[in-house]
Amino acid sequence: MAETAGSSLISSWPASEAAWERTKASLPGGVSTGLRAAMPPHPLFFEGGQGSRLTDLDGNSYLDYVLGWGPVILGHGHPGLTEAVAAQLPHGATYGAGHLLEAEAAEMIIDRVPGAERVLWSNTGSEAAQIALRLARGTTGRHRFVKFGGHYHGWTDAMLIGYRTGPDADLGRGSLGQPVQALDDVAVSPWGDLGAVAELLRSRDYAAVFCEPVLCNSGVLAPPEGFLAELRRLCDETGTVLVFDEVITGFRMGRGGAAERYGVQPDLVTLAKAVAGGFPLAAIAGKADILERTTSGIVHAGTYNGNPVVLAAAKATLQALNEPGVYETFERHGLALGEGLGASLAAHGVVGTVHQVGPVAQCIIGVEQSATFEDFLGADQEFYNRLLVQMLRRGVFALPGGRWYISTAHTDDDIAQTVTVFDESLAATLAEGPPPVIQR
Ligand SMILES: Cc1ncc(COP(=O)(O)O)c(C=O)c1O
């Protein structure tokens, strides 16, 4: 069990509460994103992390499955990563000019990611999706693009469509302030429905089709058998650029990401999160003839692009992920966690499912079968939020919404302890209040 579990359940977080009172006066919501502000029971504040654990301002230690919402794939304070960044810092933060780390890290991506012939460096997954869209438009001369319902490609105006129910749910807009015209540019297709996407693409009206090759943001839904290969074929047939958004799956679901795992080569792939172990870095990799267009008319800019600090981090991270056994261990730990959570739901008679692909798992409560984005939207998030608080009290920190990330720092013991904590927390959640609402 986590260090804070057992006899010493955490009952409150006075130091975090005090910190939140203070930070709300200077930051909207008191933290740096709306999602973090909404974490139950209130945002927690941390003083540091080591390996698979985080320590909060109250001195509580947690097994961490949030991992910075994904990037911290080596765990906190990984020695190789820390040393690489520390070694670069005395030599400056950014040059605004060429340096060899740019190419050294790019070569590592080209070595790993299927179809990567060139790499563009950027800073975030949202930016990477934006430039991928621009490249696809500039290459095909077409304007509109296809995405799938529930897939997330960042928060930009173009992309935040057909994701969660937003303020204009009927319209599919994700945010107030987003231009309604953005909706004209995109067709949202149901994930896994080949007929629907084939009909769209055969109009030859679309520059690109974007997907998360495993739909991690809405249920960790693996692609139906053969779906990605057929998407590839349809894109070839219709001259559409196939973009895999591997911001989550990249370097996590295999050394070469989901493209390698499923044996399908996209034209462009966007990468972020795991690529630099927690430092802000994104990459767009893929066909040379598309990416080389940034030298002849397609603008890709960014003051911080390819700065040496984050590239030192990327090199160290990719090197660490290349150690023997990393991906075998991810599979083993992912399976153990997924099976453990699923067995706990069944033992308590709680309706729900657990999906898992590699070191990413998704717990969905209140839905008997969750095969689609719409099924996933039926999950009882209120119940899950109460469960999250029970887990926090017992020293496990997991994401709202039900997704779990495992790092290389997690051990067999960590996973076993977590399954025990989940089980105890589920019992406590059922005992304290209403059972989950079931969608049928
Ligand atoms: C699949 C996917 N694409 C793109 C993004 C956006 O990345 P960023 O938050 O770095 O802008 C995310 C972020 O969670 C993501 O999960």
Side-chain angles (χ1 to χ4, degrees):
M1 200 159 296
E3 276 163 26
T4 44
S7 54
S8 57
L9 285 191
I10 304 167
S11 58
S12 65
W13 293 268
S16 275
E17 282 171 29
W20 196 34
E21 278 311 308
R22 172 183 171 178
T23 62
K24 277 190 285 191
S26 55
L27 306 165
V31 282
S32 295
T33 75
L35 285 176
R36 294 180 207 171
M39 285 170 92
H42 52 73
L44 293 188
F45 290 75
F46 294 92
E47 63 180 22
Q50 197 56 55
S52 58
R53 288 186 171 275
L54 272 177
T55 303
D56 72 10
L57 292 189
D58 288 285
N60 303 306
S61 168
Y62 305 86
L63 282 168
D64 181 19
Y65 294 90
V66 173
L67 299 182
W69 294 68
V72 187
I73 194 161
L74 304 178
H76 300 279
H78 181 274
L81 173 56
T82 309
E83 281 158 26
V85 171
Q88 173 55 39
L89 284 174
H91 303 289
T94 189
Y95 310 138
H99 57 90
L100 283 179
L101 288 169
E102 288 175 308
E104 288 166 7
E107 286 156 10
M108 293 171 94
I109 290 188
I110 289 168
D111 174 54
R112 286 159 176 73
V113 175
E117 297 168 350
R118 294 286 189 280
V119 176
L120 280 180
W121 294 116
S122 186
N123 306 288
T124 67
S126 300
E127 284 175 77
Q130 170 59 47
I131 185 65
L133 178 58
R134 183 176 287 178
L135 282 164
R137 284 173 165 162
T139 301
T140 59
R142 302 173 186 167
H143 185 71
R144 304 185 74 214
F145 69 100
V146 176
K147 74 178 288 289
F148 295 95
H151 292 230
Y152 181 65
H153 307 298
W155 55 265
T156 58
D157 285 347
M159 288 292 169
L160 195 60
I161 288 171
Y163 182 53
R164 295 278 187 276
T165 44
D168 281 335
D170 294 345
L171 291 176
R173 272 200 317 183
S175 172
L176 289 174
Q178 209 178 349
V180 276
Q181 293 85 340
L183 294 162
D184 299 338
D185 294 344
V186 55
V188 180
S189 194
W191 180 229
D193 184 339
L194 262 184
V197 72
E199 194 180 326
L200 287 168
L201 296 187
R202 288 202 172 116
S203 71
R204 289 181 156 72
D205 190 27
Y206 296 94
V209 53
F210 279 73
C211 71
E212 292 184 57
V214 174
L215 174 45
C216 290
N217 274 292
S218 302
V220 185
L221 292 179
E225 181 76 33
F227 182 77
L228 295 176
E230 193 55 21
L231 209 50
R232 173 70 276 172
R233 206 192 55 69
L234 281 166
C235 285
D236 289 339
E237 178 192 318
T238 59
T240 314
V241 175
L242 177 60
V243 185
F244 280 2
D245 180 333
E246 296 229 36
V247 166
I248 291 180
T249 53
F251 313 111
R252 198 184 311 262
M253 296 202 168
R255 186 174 173 274
E260 178 192 70
R261 190 177 184 109
Y262 295 99
V264 176
Q265 205 165 296
D267 298 307
L268 294 177
V269 51
T270 60
L271 300 153
K273 295 205 194 266
V275 68
F279 288 82
L281 176 66
I284 305 92
K287 284 189 171 157
D289 60 350
I290 301 180
L291 288 159
E292 289 288 351
R293 285 172 183 267
T294 53
T295 63
S296 58
I298 294 184
V299 173
H300 170 240
T303 301
Y304 300 107
N305 289 356
N307 72 73
V309 177
V310 296
L311 290 174
K315 273 186 68 182
T317 303
L318 295 177
Q319 218 164 344
L321 290 172
N322 225 20
E323 291 295 317
V326 163
Y327 291 96
E328 290 78 0
T329 308
F330 274 161
E331 294 299 319
R332 187 160 51 78
H333 285 167
L335 203 63
L337 182 69
E339 285 183 354
L341 303 191
S344 176
L345 293 181
H348 291 279
V350 170
V351 170
T353 48
V354 179
H355 296 160
Q356 170 259 327
V357 182
V360 186
Q362 172 74 47
C363 179
I364 308 169
I365 289 182
V367 180
E368 262 169 283
Q369 262 211 336
S370 185
T372 66
F373 172 49
E374 287 68 28
D375 294 339
F376 175 69
L377 289 177
D380 187 341
Q381 296 303 343
E382 193 276 330
F383 182 88
Y384 197 79
N385 280 347
R386 288 197 284 123
L387 175 59
L388 280 177
V389 176
Q390 291 294 346
M391 288 195 279
L392 276 177
R393 294 195 190 292
R394 292 164 174 79
V396 167
F397 184 47
L399 279 169
R403 190 158 68 249
W404 296 66
Y405 289 116
I406 298 170
S407 76
T408 57
H410 286 85
T411 63
D412 290 0
D413 272 359
D414 288 342
I415 304 291
Q417 287 172 12
T418 301
V419 170
T420 304
V421 165
F422 182 87
D423 195 66
E424 290 174 2
S425 304
L426 189 56
T429 310
L430 290 165
E432 78 175 351
V437 175
I438 312 297
Q439 302 287 333
R440 293 192 196 275

